[in-house]
mmCIF file of all heavy atoms in Angstrom:
data_model
loop_
_atom_site.group_PDB
_atom_site.id
_atom_site.type_symbol
_atom_site.label_atom_id
_atom_site.label_comp_id
_atom_site.label_asym_id
_atom_site.label_seq_id
_atom_site.Cartn_x
_atom_site.Cartn_y
_atom_site.Cartn_z
ATOM 1 N N LEU S 331 -47.380 -43.158 33.950
ATOM 2 C CA LEU S 331 -46.684 -44.016 33.002
ATOM 3 C C LEU S 331 -45.184 -44.053 33.305
ATOM 4 O O LEU S 331 -44.526 -45.091 33.149
ATOM 5 C CB LEU S 331 -46.921 -43.532 31.571
ATOM 6 C CG LEU S 331 -46.486 -44.506 30.475
ATOM 7 C CD1 LEU S 331 -47.481 -44.508 29.324
ATOM 8 C CD2 LEU S 331 -45.102 -44.164 29.957
ATOM 9 N N GLY S 332 -44.648 -42.913 33.761
ATOM 10 C CA GLY S 332 -43.232 -42.877 34.103
ATOM 11 C C GLY S 332 -42.908 -43.807 35.257
ATOM 12 O O GLY S 332 -41.899 -44.527 35.234
ATOM 13 N N VAL S 333 -43.780 -43.800 36.288
ATOM 14 C CA VAL S 333 -43.567 -44.693 37.435
ATOM 15 C C VAL S 333 -43.602 -46.143 36.976
ATOM 16 O O VAL S 333 -42.777 -46.969 37.385
ATOM 17 C CB VAL S 333 -44.640 -44.433 38.515
ATOM 18 C CG1 VAL S 333 -44.581 -45.521 39.599
ATOM 19 C CG2 VAL S 333 -44.446 -43.053 39.131
ATOM 20 N N LEU S 334 -44.564 -46.465 36.099
ATOM 21 C CA LEU S 334 -44.674 -47.831 35.588
ATOM 22 C C LEU S 334 -43.437 -48.218 34.773
ATOM 23 O O LEU S 334 -42.904 -49.329 34.913
ATOM 24 C CB LEU S 334 -45.935 -47.957 34.732
ATOM 25 C CG LEU S 334 -46.140 -49.327 34.064
ATOM 26 C CD1 LEU S 334 -46.293 -50.415 35.119
ATOM 27 C CD2 LEU S 334 -47.363 -49.283 33.131
ATOM 28 N N SER S 335 -42.970 -47.279 33.941
ATOM 29 C CA SER S 335 -41.810 -47.596 33.100
ATOM 30 C C SER S 335 -40.563 -47.829 33.946
ATOM 31 O O SER S 335 -39.742 -48.698 33.636
ATOM 32 C CB SER S 335 -41.565 -46.477 32.083
ATOM 33 O OG SER S 335 -41.073 -45.312 32.722
ATOM 34 N N PHE S 336 -40.414 -47.084 35.032
ATOM 35 C CA PHE S 336 -39.263 -47.294 35.916
ATOM 36 C C PHE S 336 -39.334 -48.661 36.586
ATOM 37 O O PHE S 336 -38.338 -49.372 36.678
ATOM 38 C CB PHE S 336 -39.196 -46.191 36.980
ATOM 39 C CG PHE S 336 -38.389 -45.006 36.568
ATOM 40 C CD1 PHE S 336 -38.996 -43.848 36.101
ATOM 41 C CD2 PHE S 336 -36.988 -45.054 36.620
ATOM 42 C CE1 PHE S 336 -38.241 -42.753 35.708
ATOM 43 C CE2 PHE S 336 -36.234 -43.958 36.233
ATOM 44 C CZ PHE S 336 -36.857 -42.804 35.774
ATOM 45 N N ALA S 337 -40.538 -49.023 37.076
ATOM 46 C CA ALA S 337 -40.691 -50.321 37.721
ATOM 47 C C ALA S 337 -40.413 -51.450 36.734
ATOM 48 O O ALA S 337 -39.736 -52.435 37.057
ATOM 49 C CB ALA S 337 -42.104 -50.450 38.288
ATOM 50 N N PHE S 338 -40.926 -51.305 35.506
ATOM 51 C CA PHE S 338 -40.729 -52.327 34.479
ATOM 52 C C PHE S 338 -39.245 -52.425 34.108
ATOM 53 O O PHE S 338 -38.678 -53.529 34.024
ATOM 54 C CB PHE S 338 -41.553 -51.969 33.243
ATOM 55 C CG PHE S 338 -41.363 -52.924 32.095
ATOM 56 C CD1 PHE S 338 -42.009 -54.154 32.085
ATOM 57 C CD2 PHE S 338 -40.540 -52.596 31.034
ATOM 58 C CE1 PHE S 338 -41.844 -55.035 31.027
ATOM 59 C CE2 PHE S 338 -40.347 -53.468 29.975
ATOM 60 C CZ PHE S 338 -41.003 -54.693 29.965
ATOM 61 N N ALA S 339 -38.588 -51.277 33.900
ATOM 62 C CA ALA S 339 -37.171 -51.270 33.514
ATOM 63 C C ALA S 339 -36.296 -51.840 34.626
ATOM 64 O O ALA S 339 -35.356 -52.600 34.365
ATOM 65 C CB ALA S 339 -36.733 -49.852 33.158
ATOM 66 N N ASP S 340 -36.607 -51.478 35.874
ATOM 67 C CA ASP S 340 -35.811 -51.993 36.994
ATOM 68 C C ASP S 340 -35.918 -53.509 37.088
ATOM 69 O O ASP S 340 -34.923 -54.207 37.354
ATOM 70 C CB ASP S 340 -36.258 -51.356 38.302
ATOM 71 C CG ASP S 340 -35.772 -49.919 38.449
ATOM 72 O OD1 ASP S 340 -34.879 -49.534 37.674
ATOM 73 O OD2 ASP S 340 -36.283 -49.209 39.331
ATOM 74 N N ALA S 341 -37.133 -54.047 36.903
ATOM 75 C CA ALA S 341 -37.310 -55.500 36.954
ATOM 76 C C ALA S 341 -36.531 -56.177 35.835
ATOM 77 O O ALA S 341 -35.861 -57.190 36.055
ATOM 78 C CB ALA S 341 -38.800 -55.845 36.855
ATOM 79 N N ALA S 342 -36.607 -55.608 34.630
ATOM 80 C CA ALA S 342 -35.886 -56.188 33.492
ATOM 81 C C ALA S 342 -34.380 -56.114 33.714
ATOM 82 O O ALA S 342 -33.647 -57.085 33.461
ATOM 83 C CB ALA S 342 -36.274 -55.455 32.205
ATOM 84 N N MET S 343 -33.902 -54.967 34.192
ATOM 85 C CA MET S 343 -32.462 -54.816 34.406
ATOM 86 C C MET S 343 -31.953 -55.750 35.500
ATOM 87 O O MET S 343 -30.836 -56.254 35.438
ATOM 88 C CB MET S 343 -32.131 -53.360 34.730
ATOM 89 C CG MET S 343 -32.236 -52.449 33.517
ATOM 90 S SD MET S 343 -31.575 -50.780 33.794
ATOM 91 C CE MET S 343 -32.774 -50.125 34.934
ATOM 92 N N SER S 344 -32.792 -55.999 36.519
ATOM 93 C CA SER S 344 -32.395 -56.928 37.575
ATOM 94 C C SER S 344 -32.215 -58.334 37.016
ATOM 95 O O SER S 344 -31.224 -59.019 37.309
ATOM 96 C CB SER S 344 -33.453 -56.929 38.684
ATOM 97 O OG SER S 344 -33.113 -57.867 39.685
ATOM 98 N N ASP S 345 -33.157 -58.759 36.165
ATOM 99 C CA ASP S 345 -33.061 -60.094 35.557
ATOM 100 C C ASP S 345 -31.874 -60.186 34.611
ATOM 101 O O ASP S 345 -31.147 -61.188 34.605
ATOM 102 C CB ASP S 345 -34.353 -60.420 34.794
ATOM 103 C CG ASP S 345 -35.542 -60.633 35.721
ATOM 104 O OD1 ASP S 345 -35.315 -60.866 36.924
ATOM 105 O OD2 ASP S 345 -36.686 -60.563 35.232
ATOM 106 N N VAL S 346 -31.681 -59.153 33.820
ATOM 107 C CA VAL S 346 -30.583 -59.162 32.847
ATOM 108 C C VAL S 346 -29.232 -59.111 33.578
ATOM 109 O O VAL S 346 -28.266 -59.768 33.161
ATOM 110 C CB VAL S 346 -30.728 -57.983 31.862
ATOM 111 C CG1 VAL S 346 -29.468 -57.831 31.012
ATOM 112 C CG2 VAL S 346 -31.935 -58.204 30.965
ATOM 113 N N THR S 347 -29.171 -58.339 34.666
ATOM 114 C CA THR S 347 -27.927 -58.289 35.452
ATOM 115 C C THR S 347 -27.577 -59.667 35.999
ATOM 116 O O THR S 347 -26.420 -60.099 35.934
ATOM 117 C CB THR S 347 -28.072 -57.296 36.617
ATOM 118 O OG1 THR S 347 -28.236 -55.980 36.090
ATOM 119 C CG2 THR S 347 -26.837 -57.329 37.505
ATOM 120 N N ALA S 348 -28.569 -60.365 36.535
ATOM 121 C CA ALA S 348 -28.326 -61.704 37.064
ATOM 122 C C ALA S 348 -27.839 -62.639 35.960
ATOM 123 O O ALA S 348 -26.911 -63.436 36.169
ATOM 124 C CB ALA S 348 -29.601 -62.248 37.705
ATOM 125 N N GLU S 349 -28.446 -62.538 34.788
ATOM 126 C CA GLU S 349 -28.029 -63.389 33.663
ATOM 127 C C GLU S 349 -26.611 -63.035 33.206
ATOM 128 O O GLU S 349 -25.802 -63.915 32.905
ATOM 129 C CB GLU S 349 -29.012 -63.208 32.504
ATOM 130 C CG GLU S 349 -28.963 -64.295 31.463
ATOM 131 C CD GLU S 349 -29.582 -65.600 31.952
ATOM 132 O OE1 GLU S 349 -30.203 -65.619 33.037
ATOM 133 O OE2 GLU S 349 -29.429 -66.601 31.244
ATOM 134 N N PHE S 350 -26.330 -61.752 33.153
ATOM 135 C CA PHE S 350 -24.992 -61.264 32.776
ATOM 136 C C PHE S 350 -23.938 -61.794 33.747
ATOM 137 O O PHE S 350 -22.889 -62.302 33.339
ATOM 138 C CB PHE S 350 -25.017 -59.736 32.775
ATOM 139 C CG PHE S 350 -23.697 -59.074 32.457
ATOM 140 C CD1 PHE S 350 -23.379 -58.705 31.162
ATOM 141 C CD2 PHE S 350 -22.769 -58.811 33.466
ATOM 142 C CE1 PHE S 350 -22.173 -58.083 30.872
ATOM 143 C CE2 PHE S 350 -21.568 -58.201 33.189
ATOM 144 C CZ PHE S 350 -21.267 -57.831 31.879
ATOM 145 N N GLU S 351 -24.210 -61.686 35.056
ATOM 146 C CA GLU S 351 -23.249 -62.132 36.065
ATOM 147 C C GLU S 351 -23.044 -63.643 36.014
ATOM 148 O O GLU S 351 -21.920 -64.134 36.162
ATOM 149 C CB GLU S 351 -23.716 -61.712 37.465
ATOM 150 C CG GLU S 351 -23.766 -60.207 37.686
ATOM 151 C CD GLU S 351 -22.378 -59.576 37.749
ATOM 152 O OE1 GLU S 351 -21.376 -60.296 37.628
ATOM 153 O OE2 GLU S 351 -22.312 -58.349 37.916
ATOM 154 N N ARG S 352 -24.140 -64.398 35.818
ATOM 155 C CA ARG S 352 -24.006 -65.859 35.713
ATOM 156 C C ARG S 352 -23.125 -66.233 34.524
ATOM 157 O O ARG S 352 -22.267 -67.113 34.627
ATOM 158 C CB ARG S 352 -25.379 -66.516 35.585
ATOM 159 C CG ARG S 352 -26.102 -66.715 36.893
ATOM 160 C CD ARG S 352 -27.294 -67.652 36.722
ATOM 161 N NE ARG S 352 -28.344 -67.041 35.925
ATOM 162 C CZ ARG S 352 -29.339 -66.333 36.428
ATOM 163 N NH1 ARG S 352 -29.420 -66.136 37.738
ATOM 164 N NH2 ARG S 352 -30.265 -65.820 35.647
ATOM 165 N N GLU S 353 -23.359 -65.564 33.404
ATOM 166 C CA GLU S 353 -22.561 -65.866 32.207
ATOM 167 C C GLU S 353 -21.106 -65.476 32.413
ATOM 168 O O GLU S 353 -20.200 -66.213 32.017
ATOM 169 C CB GLU S 353 -23.140 -65.106 31.000
ATOM 170 C CG GLU S 353 -22.480 -65.445 29.672
ATOM 171 C CD GLU S 353 -22.818 -66.845 29.190
ATOM 172 O OE1 GLU S 353 -23.731 -67.482 29.744
ATOM 173 O OE2 GLU S 353 -22.152 -67.312 28.237
#
Side-chain angles (χ1 to χ4, degrees):
L331 192 141
V333 170
L334 177 62
S335 71
F336 270 100
F338 177 79
D340 285 346
M343 287 190 291
S344 177
D345 291 342
V346 170
T347 295
E349 197 73 9
F350 178 93
E351 295 290 0
R352 278 193 291 269
E353 186 70 12

